[in-house]
Amino acid sequence: MKKLLVVAIMTFGSLTAFAQEAETAVEEVAAEELVSQDDFSEVAVAELPEAVVAAVSKNYPTATINKAYSNQSSQYKLEVSLEDGTSGTLYTDAEGNWIDL
């Protein structure tokens, strides 16, 4: 009976260890994606595609685009601020579709 209890505890412990390793792997992939965000270079706000500006105006009517960045995949990183003083970063493609990073 004791052996059965010991085996059950060891099995549970090993399953927990595998779950922790999987979470770490996901975090490492997310960190690699963040590194690839450095591929953005600054562009003038006036040079943004109309679809990008329209998407910001539609979804964030009180937002002002302070800075804009572009990468070789025609994705845009936008630093915006709202009238209430909050600010943030938005990511979109050239067609104005939002990107979750």
Side-chain angles (χ1 to χ4, degrees), residues 8-95:
I9 290 172
M10 291 179 68
T11 303
F12 179 73
S14 65
L15 291 175
T16 305
F18 285 123
Q20 290 174 348
E21 288 177 17
E23 288 178 16
T24 303
V26 170
E27 290 173 6
E28 289 174 6
V29 170
E32 289 175 10
E33 287 179 5
L34 290 175
V35 171
S36 69
Q37 291 178 18
D38 292 336
D39 295 337
F40 287 91
S41 57
E42 191 167 358
V43 296
V45 174
E47 295 177 9
L48 290 172
E50 183 60 35
V52 172
V53 176
V56 173
S57 297
K58 178 182 175 186
N59 293 289
Y60 303 95
T62 64
T64 301
I65 302 173
N66 300 322
K67 289 186 179 182
Y69 304 88
S70 176
N71 65 12
Q72 292 186 2
S73 299
S74 295
Q75 296 172 333
Y76 295 89
K77 174 182 172 181
L78 309 170
E79 292 181 6
V80 299
S81 58
L82 301 176
E83 285 180 354
D84 66 1
T86 59
S87 61
T89 304
L90 303 171
Y91 295 89
T92 182
D93 62 15
E95 289 80 35

Side-chain angles (χ1 to χ4, degrees), residues 1-9:
M1 193 68 135
K2 288 183 182 181
K3 290 181 183 179
L4 182 59
L5 181 61
V6 171
V7 170
I9 290 172

